[in-house]
Amino acid sequence: MFNFLLAQTQAIPDYSSAVSTSAAGGIIAGMLVIELLVGAVVYVWLALCLQFIAKKTNTPNGWMAWVPIANMILMLQIAKMPLWYIILWFIPIVNIVIIIMVWVKIFEACGKPGWWVILMFLPLVNFIILGVVAFSKSSVATSAQSPTSGQVPPTVPTPPAATPPTPPATPPQSPPTLPPSTPPSTPSS
């Protein structure tokens, strides 16, 4: 009986020598390097866009975009939301809602529609949208604009102040002249 089991184990081919351990380690190391490079490029792009958004919205300390955790504080400052929201950023499920709210406010602060946050969920499109928000020449929303509209109203040029019409210039008139008067005549007798 044991011979039967021994015969089956010998029939299983041994693939352990087909791929050397050093080759597998090299493949894993190469994938790790590529992953780190892609991660670094993504981090630099996000930090650069966030720094330009901070500059565009006149938010101080744009350098915070390059520091982890501090960039979340910068995002809350750009969105003009309370800083204690950073605590909610670390609670699962709640953080998704908070991040969406922050990005909507950031887009509106940059004069873009808040619904663009939906595009942030699409791979690769999110990087393009972030670049458009950061590097576009659109004006920043001001207090005169509706903060919920997300649209910048068109500016209508105001005409110059109207001056009252002036009457046409006429030469000065002299008072009317009367014919010379003659003394009353007296009858002669």
Side-chain angles (χ1 to χ4, degrees):
M1 178 161 165
F2 292 110
N3 289 337
F4 176 75
L5 291 176
L6 184 61
Q8 282 187 341
T9 57
Q10 291 174 351
I12 298 174
D14 183 19
Y15 294 110
S16 63
S17 62
V19 177
S20 69
T21 309
S22 60
I27 291 172
I28 292 173
M31 290 172 43
L32 182 62
V33 167
I34 290 172
E35 186 177 333
L36 288 174
L37 287 175
V38 169
V41 168
V42 168
Y43 187 81
V44 167
W45 174 252
L46 293 176
L48 191 65
C49 288
L50 190 59
Q51 185 176 15
F52 272 86
I53 290 172
K55 183 178 179 182
K56 190 177 196 179
T57 58
N58 296 323
T59 305
N61 301 325
W63 58 267
M64 289 171 54
W66 298 93
V67 181
I69 308 296
N71 58 11
M72 291 188 273
I73 294 171
L74 179 64
M75 289 173 69
L76 289 171
Q77 289 175 346
I78 293 170
K80 295 180 179 24
M81 296 176 80
L83 291 181
W84 66 267
Y85 275 31
I86 197 165
I87 296 168
L88 301 175
W89 221 303
F90 296 103
I91 300 174
I93 309 297
V94 176
N95 61 359
I96 297 170
V97 175
I98 294 300
I99 290 169
I100 291 171
M101 289 172 43
V102 168
W103 277 114
V104 166
K105 297 273 189 166
I106 288 174
F107 285 171
E108 290 175 350
C110 291
K112 301 294 181 196
W115 64 265
W116 279 17
V117 77
I118 296 169
L119 300 174
M120 293 292 284
F121 289 101
L122 301 175
L124 299 180
V125 175
N126 52 7
F127 297 116
I128 296 168
I129 290 299
L130 199 55
V132 168
V133 171
F135 301 111
S136 68
K137 301 288 183 196
S138 68
S139 63
V140 175
T142 60
S143 60
Q145 300 167 352
S146 171
T148 58
S149 70
Q151 300 279 340
V152 178
T155 56
V156 178
T158 56
T163 57
T166 56
T170 57
Q173 297 177 353
S174 58
T177 57
L178 297 174
S181 65
T182 55
S185 56
T186 55
S188 42
S189 35

